Amino acid sequence: MFNKYIRDRQDEIITSVLESIAIDSTEAEPQEGMPFGKGVNDALEHALKLADQMGFKTANIDNMAGYAEYGEGEEMIAVLGHLDIVPIGDGWTYDPWGEIVDDRIYGRGTLDDKGPMIGALYALDAVRSLAGPLKRRIRLIFGTNEETGSRDMVRYNETEETPVMGFTPDADYPVIFSEKGIARITLEKKINDGSLISAHAGKAVNIVPDHAEMTFLGEDAKVRALESTGIPAHGSTPELGKNAVSDLMQKVVESGASGDLKYFADFYNKNIAFETDGASLGIACDAGKFGRTTVNVGLLEGDGTHIKITLDCRYPAGEDFEQTAAELKEKAEAEGIECVLHKNVQPLYIPEDSMLVQTLQEVYREQTGQDIDPVVIGGGTYAKAVKNIVAFGPVFPDQENVIHQKDEYISIEHLMKNVEIMAHAMYRLAR
Ligand SMILES: [Zn+2]
């Protein structure tokens, strides 16, 4: 019903997307009334002005988020996305602020997430023009702080209405019905005997370190320096990489570490080594369709006073990770290793037979001809920021994922297909 209407607006859609892409909405120094900086504020104002011109009701939530809304009814369904971007980085072949080459629109945010969210306005326009009266209101929520902390949605949740259902086009297709919980745990030992001089690995806890280094005092009292290399991977899929810290810990023992350092390395090699499922640590969990626990040793740091590793643990919905972490703490501290749970983002789970997941799945199948079951992922998406939301699009399976990379792009066909899918999804959820 909506597709022809949407295709007829292709030029307008591209123009609006390019206008948004031209704005550098990387988080910057706060200014008066611009908590995430001027660029972020400009991108929000651009989207709200466009929505306003299209005749939708709009609201600005303390310059931290905004929304455009259409329809009547007690209940509201939402499409959640964001207008902030990550820094452009180096190495672009095309203009990071928007350039069309052949059938692709290049630029930071084309895929993540300005393209889909500006597109969502046109999807909403199609629904308004063609769908007739609906039972529920449809609200497009424009976040502005997804990339650097999601403080936008903390603010939204404080004062604004919670949708009864919704989706965020800020991840992948097909529907993601469950996202694992994410916990950060540190294991640390004091160094009291000079056995360690320095240790370092990892840039971020959610990446498998590809380099690790250590300087220490051997049992013969000579200074040794070791390095290890690994294979990087995302922290939610550590089994796809090779951890440089694990390699280093084996080498350290083989090279004659002593005292407190040897004690810690022995603990590491016995309880972690190259495992990525937490089995020997006693925190493994296989929850069938909800997936399995993964553990990535993301950071290593140490000096003459202590040695510490930070684990990025992803655990399936249904698991009581507070309890699991408490058991790990007991086990580690019995061996003189300090163990602290620093952060625990709860898993997301919306039943597969819920109207939300079923409807999105149906729309996806109808619009793409692909019959793929809803999936579970280890990564956390924007869906966790607001209740009753699942991730749905915009990246198709087998599509090159250029999010956060140089030369980020969305093909015009891909952009248009997303607008069509979103229009059908909004309509089905709201009718
Ligand atoms: Zn995003």
Side-chain angles (χ1 to χ4, degrees):
M1 160 159 68
F2 306 115
N3 295 3
K4 177 168 188 315
Y5 184 94
I6 288 166
R7 294 282 164 167
D8 286 346
R9 272 152 195 79
Q10 179 170 307
D11 290 350
E12 282 173 68
I13 295 173
I14 293 171
T15 301
S16 297
V17 168
L18 284 172
E19 283 168 7
S20 186
I21 297 301
I23 302 166
D24 178 357
S25 54
T26 317
E27 184 180 3
E29 282 299 305
Q31 295 180 31
E32 179 69 37
M34 303 175 185
F36 308 122
K38 185 172 186 309
V40 170
N41 198 69
D42 287 351
L44 178 61
E45 280 188 356
H46 167 263
L48 293 179
K49 188 168 160 222
L50 182 61
D52 209 39
Q53 286 166 352
M54 292 168 104
F56 298 121
K57 180 189 159 195
T58 59
N60 183 325
I61 303 151
D62 294 342
N63 304 309
M64 295 179 88
Y67 65 79
E69 192 175 276
Y70 163 68
E72 307 288 328
E74 191 61 26
E75 296 182 334
M76 176 265 286
I77 66 130
V79 179
L80 169 67
H82 64 93
L83 300 168
D84 58 318
I85 54 172
V86 296
I88 57 168
D90 299 324
W92 286 67
T93 309
Y94 304 103
D95 187 347
W97 308 114
E99 179 178 4
I100 297 182
V101 180
D102 300 324
D103 64 341
R104 293 175 173 183
I105 310 171
Y106 286 91
R108 179 61 85 222
T110 48
L111 193 56
D112 175 24
D113 191 32
K114 291 170 165 177
M117 281 312 285
I118 298 298
L121 277 168
Y122 287 87
L124 186 60
D125 177 56
V127 172
R128 177 183 56 184
S129 301
L130 303 174
L134 298 168
K135 248 183 9 205
R136 303 183 177 95
R137 286 169 288 130
I138 304 172
R139 180 178 288 188
L140 311 186
I141 304 173
F142 298 100
T144 61
N145 186 233
E146 191 275 340
E147 302 291 3
T148 44
S150 295
R151 282 167 287 158
D152 50 353
M153 290 304 119
V154 172
R155 181 71 192 79
Y156 181 92
N157 291 326
E158 278 167 7
T159 54
E160 304 303 316
E161 183 182 351
T162 303
V164 294
M165 288 182 283
F167 62 90
T168 175
D170 190 34
D172 300 303
Y173 290 117
V175 193
I176 298 167
F177 77 99
S178 182
E179 297 175 17
K180 291 178 190 172
I182 304 175
R184 303 273 151 84
I185 291 175
T186 52
L187 293 168
E188 180 170 5
K189 176 157 179 58
K190 296 266 173 290
I191 301 287
N192 293 315
D193 57 5
S195 54
L196 177 65
I197 296 164
S198 71
H200 177 77
K203 294 179 204 74
V205 70
N206 63 349
I207 299 171
V208 177
D210 61 354
H211 183 82
E213 57 191 39
M214 188 182 286
T215 309
F216 62 101
L217 219 51
E219 46 201 359
D220 54 4
K222 283 192 181 132
V223 173
R224 291 187 169 74
L226 286 181
E227 281 185 59
S228 279
T229 53
I231 300 166
H234 192 266
S236 62
T237 51
E239 69 281 5
L240 302 179
K242 181 176 175 243
N243 201 310
V245 176
S246 299
D247 189 65
L248 184 71
M249 288 296 181
Q250 291 195 340
K251 280 190 189 160
V252 161
V253 172
E254 287 160 11
S255 310
S258 65
D260 292 337
L261 172 62
K262 179 169 187 304
Y263 187 90
F264 186 83
D266 283 341
F267 176 87
Y268 187 104
N269 295 333
K270 186 175 92 185
N271 293 291
I272 302 177
F274 284 95
E275 282 181 4
T276 55
D277 62 358
S280 300
L281 277 173
I283 61 172
C285 174
D286 184 347
K289 68 175 182 177
F290 297 115
R292 309 154 59 106
T293 295
T294 60
V295 178
N296 175 47
V297 180
L299 301 171
L300 162 70
E301 58 146 309
D303 56 25
T305 67
H306 77 292
I307 182 164
K308 179 165 88 172
I309 55 172
T310 306
L311 312 179
D312 178 349
C313 308
R314 312 284 171 123
Y315 61 93
E319 200 204 342
D320 179 358
F321 198 81
E322 301 282 337
Q323 177 62 31
T324 304
E327 287 164 20
L328 174 60
K329 187 180 173 69
E330 199 173 311
K331 173 189 165 88
E333 293 188 352
E335 299 201 43
I337 307 290
E338 192 185 331
C339 174
V340 179
L341 174 63
H342 289 272
K343 171 181 149 179
N344 185 11
V345 179
Q346 296 297 317
L348 176 149
Y349 167 57
I350 306 259
E352 290 154 284
D353 60 0
S354 61
M355 178 189 165
L356 174 59
V357 174
Q358 290 278 319
T359 302
L360 296 179
Q361 178 69 1
E362 262 167 46
V363 168
Y364 184 76
R365 190 167 50 226
E366 279 172 22
Q367 296 299 314
T368 64
Q370 296 170 9
D371 195 3
I372 309 172
D373 286 339
V375 295
V376 176
I377 61 164
T381 78
Y382 209 24
K384 280 183 177 169
V386 176
K387 277 206 180 87
N388 304 325
I389 302 266
V390 292
F392 183 57
V395 181
F396 291 104
D398 304 325
Q399 183 186 337
E400 182 187 13
N401 191 337
V402 290
I403 285 174
H404 297 189
Q405 315 282 313
K406 64 182 178 181
D407 290 330
E408 177 180 346
Y409 72 90
I410 192 166
S411 76
I412 291 168
E413 175 55 30
H414 181 192
L415 173 66
M416 298 305 292
K417 190 85 222 161
N418 263 289
V419 178
E420 291 173 357
I421 290 174
M422 287 190 286
H424 287 271
M426 288 174 196
Y427 167 63
R428 295 274 197 91
L429 294 173
R431 73 176 172 185

